[in-house]
């Protein structure tokens, strides 16, 4: 695999960029639009966005790299966002974190070798009343146990 | 036909509310029973979620926590008529956890269908706006000033004073920005408003627009809240359709437009000037102040930046009057605080109370003690930049000044409880680590200091050159306290030093009384 995006990806980037470029403060909405569609912001998208917004490539790159949420490599089929913050820690979050990493065989910002799961840290999901918490793609789970995570993982792998 | 309520609130859904709703639909269809299923917000009794309510002639009754497999049994027991079942919680309004609250800002949360404008209107919604439309801008600002409302985002700055500055800043364009970044761990009241009663936020922002002459609003929402995004957008669309947003509000000729913008996982973007940079499409670097955002804000124009709860408290102030709101509370902390109780606690949830309730009442009368059954050893109040409080401080009333006197903060009203298995040195290390991960990088004490702080904590935990490193830690904290541009670097010493001062034994230091 190379870093270069496919034609259809470039079309998505061009389409989203031209559709959104006219609103004030367009850069974040554009980056979200691209990541929602493609799962990440391909490095090849930077020149297209920079041209449309009259920014330098360095500016666009600087924004992408500033925000934890934007990624520049394709994610796995699913992304697990694990809460690392205090309330979840108070309810066994640290042990859960160790279990999740061990089961997936990866650390944060990595993807399992079968390409099914990417793991990202998050600092609070607003689900602190149901700690420990995680989010799979856009679905939040609460009071997650080690067994609960194993069941989830099985479902993700079966669906893959 | 019975009406059944199953929350669509993220936390309720995280415990299975979606599957419960589906099970109820399926079971009803199988039994040939007709019912109306409403997806409400959460009442905030998270220990009882997924909580199912049924409306009966005697009012709403609650059951919880309900799992899908409980549903056939609930039907058998006659829950549609409010009959008794092992999961019965009785009449919802009589549940003490709820009954003893003073809900002003959250008056409708959990009661209405969050995206039904009809529901909103029939529960006193948009009465504040009606009043505001008939008032002079300065009078609207005065009402908010009179209420004594202070910003609920953390800094507790008087909302009326901020609005007055924007009102008096001449400009062709002004903005209302809602800070919905809710980055503080242990907090979820912004989310509950946005998911449970989004119209109250929309109404509050519209009133703010009328008060200062701003015609455009933005809600800067954190990306971690996808469910809130969906619900907000549904509600905004409904408000536009009915003329509560757009060109001529309720036919008044005055306009207000509103849009949600999504953040991208940077904690520092909750800081108001970093938030404005982010809204402008830039990196979230903190700006130097002055100028204040009220004078030079979004795109260089006068801007109100307020927290979700601050703005959502405005409709009731304009409906019932500033004095009504001010009559709640103590000292200079007026009105109510939506307290978010989380962590190692038996009954976590949302507790809206007038200021003045003590930490102990919240932890034990409401919270029922720790979830693990072990003693509560420490609580962190006010998010990741808030101090840890030991048991000897649990009688402190929730009041901005009382907390300041203890070198602590109320912040956004989040309380996280820890039992006696907590290692406070690890918590101090985590605070430094968090600051290092989230620093915007603009100033050295925060950027470098926090990284050094993690290293120093590692040495303290490993018990290497102990005394020297404890001194170094205090030194670093002093530098961060005094030399940081914003509260991320400037307040990270709160959790670190409070942990060290109240729990020295975890740092391998002697307890002061034993020394
Ligand atoms: C690092 C940092 C993070 C912050 N995060 C938030 C936040 O998530 N939500 C919020 O409302 N205020 C946050 N604030 C406070 C804002 O800067 C600002 O005081 C607030 O939006 C003003 O609104 P209010 O007066 O209604 O509280 C943060 C401040 C700092 C320094
Ligand atoms: S204290 Fe930290 S987050 Fe705040 S401006 Fe300085 S470097 Fe940025
Ligand atoms: S601390 Fe984990 S969800 Fe808030």
């Amino acid at each position: 695999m190379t870093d270069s995006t496919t034609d259809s990806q470039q079309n998505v980037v061009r389409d989203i960029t031209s559709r959104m470029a006219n609103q004030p403060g367009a850069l974040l909405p554009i980056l979200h639009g691209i990541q929602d569609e493609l799962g990440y912001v391909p490095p090849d998208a930077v020149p297209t966005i920079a041209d449309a917004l009259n920014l330098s490539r360095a500016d666009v790159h600087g924004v992408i790299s500033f925000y934890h949420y934007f990624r520049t490599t394709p994610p796995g089929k699913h992304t697990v966002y694990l809460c690392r913050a205090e309330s979840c820690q108070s309810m066994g979050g640290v042990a859960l974190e160790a279990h999740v990493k061990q089961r997936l065989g990866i650390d944060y910002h990595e993807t399992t070798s079968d390409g099914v799961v990417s793991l990202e840290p998050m600092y609070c999901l607003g689900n602190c009343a149901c700690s420990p918490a995680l989010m799979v793609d856009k679905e939040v789970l609460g009071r997650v146990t080690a067994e609960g995570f194993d069941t989830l993982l099985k479902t993700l792998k079966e669906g893959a | 036909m019975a009406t059944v309520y199953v929350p669509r609130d993220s936390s309720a859904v995280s415990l299975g509310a979606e599957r419960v709703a589906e099970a109820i639909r399926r079971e009803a269809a199988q039994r040939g029973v007709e019912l109306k299923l409403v997806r409400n917000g959460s009442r905030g009794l998270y220990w009882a979620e997924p909580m199912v309510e049924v409306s009966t002639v005697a009012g709403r009754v609650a059951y919880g926590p309900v799992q899908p497999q409980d549903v056939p049994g609930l039907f058998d027991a006659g829950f549609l008529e409010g009959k008794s079942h092992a999961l019965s919680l009785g009449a919802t309004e009589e549940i003490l956890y709820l009954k003893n609250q003073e809900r002003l800002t959250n008056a409708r949360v959990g009661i209405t269908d969050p995206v039904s404008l009809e529901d909103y209107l029939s529960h006193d919604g948009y009465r504040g706006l009606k009043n505001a439309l008939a008032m002079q801008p300065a009078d609207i600002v005065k009402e908010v000033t009179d209420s004594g409302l202070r910003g609920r985002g953390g800094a507790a700055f008087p909302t009326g004073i901020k609005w007055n500055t924007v009102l008096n800043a001449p400009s062709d364009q002004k903005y209302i920005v809602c800070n919905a970044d809710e980055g503080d761990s242990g907090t979820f009241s912004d989310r509950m408003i946005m998911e449970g009663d989004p119209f109250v936020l929309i109404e509050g922002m519209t009133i703010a627009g009328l008060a200062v002459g701003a015609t455009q609003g933005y809600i800067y929402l954190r990306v971690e809240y996808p469910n809130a995004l969906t619900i907000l957008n549904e509600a905004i669309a409904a408000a536009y359709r009915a003329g509560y947003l757009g060109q001529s509000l309720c036919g008044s000729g005055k306009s207000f437009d509103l849009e949600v913008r999504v953040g991208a996982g940077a904690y520092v973007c909750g800081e108001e000037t970093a938030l404005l940079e982010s809204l402008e499409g830039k990196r979230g670097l903190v700006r130097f102040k002055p100028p204040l955002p009220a004078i030079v804000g979004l795109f260089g124009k006068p801007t109100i930046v307020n927290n979700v709860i601050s703005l959502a408290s405005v409709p009731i102030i304009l409906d019932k009057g500033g004095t009504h709101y001010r009559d709640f509370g103590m000292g200079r902390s007026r009105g109510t605080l939506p307290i978010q109780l989380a962590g190692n606690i038996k009954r976590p949830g949302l507790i809206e109370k007038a200021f003045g309730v003590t930490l102990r009442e919240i932890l034990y009368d409401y919270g029922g003690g720790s979830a693990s059954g072990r003693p509560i050893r420490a609580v962190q109040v006010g998010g990741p930049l808030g101090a840890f409080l030991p048991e000897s401080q649990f009688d402190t009333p929730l009041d901005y000044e009382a907390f300041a006197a203890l070198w602590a903060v109320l912040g956004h009203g989040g309380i996280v409880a820890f039992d006696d298995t907590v290692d406070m040195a690890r918590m101090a290390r985590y605070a430094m680590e968090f600051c290092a991960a989230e620093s915007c990088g603009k100033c050295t004490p925060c950027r470098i200091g926090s990284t050094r702080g993690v290293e120093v904590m590692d040495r303290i935990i490993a018990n290497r050159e102990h005394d020297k490193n404890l001194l170094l830690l205090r030194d670093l904290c002093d530098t961060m306290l005094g030399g940081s541009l914003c509260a991320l670097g400037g307040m990270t010493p709160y959790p670190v030093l409070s942990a060290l001062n109240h729990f020295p034994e975890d740092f391998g230091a002697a307890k002061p009384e034993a020394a």
Side-chain angles (χ1 to χ4, degrees):
Chain A
M1 270 217 343
T2 68
D3 261 358
S4 84
T5 49
T6 62
D7 282 355
S8 79
Q9 281 189 329
Q10 271 299 348
N11 284 339
V12 168
V13 169
R14 255 193 301 274
D15 195 53
I16 290 172
T17 307
S18 60
R19 192 151 38 82
M20 295 186 163
N22 286 328
Q23 55 185 313
L27 184 49
L28 261 71
I30 289 174
L31 295 174
H32 272 298
I34 294 171
Q35 183 154 316
D36 279 349
E37 200 64 35
L38 302 178
Y40 70 118
V41 183
D44 284 9
V46 172
T48 312
I49 302 168
D51 282 352
L53 297 183
N54 229 338
L55 295 168
S56 75
R57 292 174 188 194
D59 283 338
V60 176
H61 176 75
V63 168
I64 296 172
S65 60
F66 181 85
Y67 293 95
H68 301 301
Y69 180 75
F70 294 129
R71 51 183 306 146
T72 51
T73 55
K77 195 154 184 287
H78 301 282
T79 303
V80 170
Y81 302 93
L82 195 61
C83 178
R84 291 199 62 209
E86 290 90 342
S87 175
C88 290
Q89 290 180 37
S90 79
M91 289 297 282
V94 178
L96 179 67
E97 176 181 58
H99 176 82
V100 166
K101 287 183 179 177
Q102 188 262 328
R103 270 300 139 89
L104 295 175
I106 54 174
D107 206 336
Y108 288 124
H109 314 299
E110 293 179 354
T111 302
T112 53
S113 52
D114 59 6
V116 177
V117 179
S118 295
L119 182 64
E120 298 292 333
M122 266 199 184
Y123 296 91
C124 191
L125 297 161
N127 199 27
C128 335
C130 310
S131 293
L134 60 75
M135 184 157 82
V136 203
D137 303 323
K138 298 201 167 183
E139 190 191 344
V140 183
L141 299 181
R143 298 191 192 134
V144 182
T145 57
E147 303 76 60
F149 178 77
D150 292 346
T151 313
L152 167 72
L153 187 59
K154 199 158 157 263
T155 326
L156 296 181
K157 296 227 176 216
E158 277 165 5
Chain B
M1 185 171 53
T3 305
V4 177
Y5 298 83
V6 182
R8 67 186 287 198
D9 167 278
S10 292
S11 282
V13 170
S14 86
L15 301 174
E18 209 56 60
R19 280 175 283 122
V20 171
E22 193 41 51
I24 291 175
R25 259 191 223 108
R26 204 176 334 109
E27 195 68 27
Q30 254 168 33
R31 294 179 186 232
V33 177
E34 275 198 71
L35 55 79
K36 183 177 166 208
L37 188 64
V38 175
R39 303 304 303 276
N40 55 336
S42 170
R43 299 265 194 168
L45 283 59
Y46 284 119
W47 43 275
E49 291 286 2
M51 190 173 98
V52 174
E53 286 179 85
V54 181
S55 55
T56 71
V57 279
R60 277 157 73 158
V61 294
Y63 302 84
V66 177
Q67 285 302 307
Q69 62 269 24
D70 301 321
V71 169
L74 282 166
F75 274 89
D76 289 341
F79 87 122
L80 292 179
E81 291 91 52
K83 293 201 179 129
S84 165
H85 179 273
L87 295 176
S88 288
L89 297 168
T92 315
E93 307 286 344
E94 295 300 316
I95 300 172
L96 289 180
Y97 199 95
L98 200 56
K99 189 179 182 172
N100 294 339
Q101 297 192 26
E102 284 124 357
R103 289 202 168 192
L104 302 182
T105 309
N106 288 279
R108 271 172 301 265
V109 172
I111 295 177
T112 53
D113 174 347
V115 295
S116 162
L117 185 56
E118 208 176 279
D119 245 16
Y120 187 65
L121 292 170
S122 66
H123 288 80
D124 297 346
Y126 276 124
R127 288 165 49 141
L129 180 70
K130 284 272 149 61
N131 290 340
L133 279 168
M135 290 163 75
Q136 290 303 314
D139 295 330
I140 304 175
V141 173
K142 184 171 182 302
E143 208 61 53
V144 173
T145 308
D146 289 348
S147 75
L149 177 67
R150 291 162 74 182
R152 300 287 188 250
F157 187 82
T159 306
I161 294 181
K162 188 184 283 185
W163 287 25
N164 203 44
T165 309
V166 179
L167 172 65
N168 293 321
S171 178
D172 54 338
Q173 176 76 61
K174 299 178 186 180
Y175 295 102
I176 309 297
V177 171
C178 170
N179 189 339
D181 202 48
E182 193 157 69
D184 285 357
S185 49
T187 72
F188 44 83
S189 63
D190 295 351
R191 179 184 63 67
M192 285 187 66
I193 286 286
M194 293 187 284
E195 294 182 346
D197 192 17
F199 290 115
V200 81
L201 174 59
I202 297 169
E203 182 181 353
M205 292 184 72
T206 310
I207 295 170
L210 292 174
V212 302
T215 53
Q216 175 70 48
Y218 290 102
I219 298 173
Y220 184 87
L221 176 70
R222 67 199 303 247
V223 69
E224 291 86 345
Y225 286 179
N227 191 36
L229 176 64
T230 308
I231 295 176
L232 275 174
N233 278 331
E234 284 178 47
I236 288 172
Y240 267 107
R241 278 196 302 274
Y244 284 99
L245 283 173
Q247 284 312 305
S248 179
L249 301 169
C250 308
S252 65
K254 293 175 182 146
S255 77
F256 189 71
D257 286 295
L258 182 58
E259 189 183 325
V260 184
R261 287 289 177 91
V262 180
Y267 175 74
V268 73
C269 287
E271 194 282 334
E272 56 184 4
T273 63
L275 186 155
L276 295 175
E277 291 285 303
S278 183
L279 266 181
E280 292 180 6
K282 304 177 194 149
R283 298 151 54 115
L285 297 186
V286 173
R287 294 179 184 169
F288 289 99
K289 281 191 273 193
L292 293 173
I295 310 279
V296 183
L298 185 62
F299 304 116
K301 304 293 183 183
T303 302
I304 286 183
V305 185
N306 269 141
N307 172 253
V308 172
I309 300 297
S310 312
L311 289 163
S313 301
V314 165
I316 196 164
I317 291 169
L318 266 290
D319 176 14
K320 301 208 166 149
T323 352
H324 173 81
Y325 189 81
R326 196 184 50 204
D327 282 347
F328 293 84
M330 71 174 275
R332 287 173 49 221
S333 305
R334 309 310 316 173
T336 57
L337 180 68
I339 299 153
Q340 302 121 86
L341 182 59
N344 196 324
I345 198 88
K346 196 175 287 159
R347 289 197 298 269
L350 180 90
I351 303 154
E352 183 174 345
K353 286 289 284 179
F355 287 93
V357 58
T358 69
L359 210 42
R360 194 179 298 280
E361 289 173 274
I362 296 294
L363 291 171
Y364 295 99
D365 298 354
Y366 287 88
S370 75
S372 62
R374 305 177 67 95
I376 298 178
R377 182 165 180 238
V379 297
Q380 186 176 29
V381 183
L385 308 177
F388 288 98
L389 287 80
E391 145 93 43
S392 60
Q393 295 181 334
F394 286 179
D395 291 311
T396 312
L398 298 192
D399 162 69
Y400 293 117
E401 279 66 39
F403 267 64
L406 296 175
W407 205 65
V409 290
L410 269 187
H412 188 45
I415 299 177
V416 176
F418 295 83
D419 73 9
D420 62 353
T421 61
V422 68
D423 179 341
M424 296 306 292
R426 296 233 157 252
M427 298 316 296
R429 183 194 187 278
Y430 172 81
M432 285 291 190
E433 187 191 355
F434 180 74
C435 182
E438 299 298 328
S439 169
C440 85
K442 193 154 174 167
C443 48
T444 329
C446 167
R447 189 185 66 234
I448 309 289
S450 54
T451 306
R452 295 290 319 278
V454 176
E455 296 161 7
V456 173
M457 278 313 307
D458 278 338
R459 292 199 293 271
I460 291 172
I461 290 168
N463 205 11
R464 286 211 305 272
E465 291 188 279
H466 200 264
D467 294 354
K468 189 179 137 205
N469 280 307
L470 280 182
L471 267 179
L472 198 56
L473 183 68
R474 288 194 184 274
D475 229 41
L476 261 176
C477 283
D478 273 351
T479 310
M480 291 173 75
L481 273 167
S484 301
L485 181 58
C486 85
L488 180 46
M491 284 180 60
T492 293
Y494 276 64
V496 174
L497 291 181
S498 59
L500 174 59
N501 291 339
H502 298 307
F503 307 94
E505 63 277 21
D506 286 15
F507 293 71
K511 242 185 173 341
E513 55 266 29

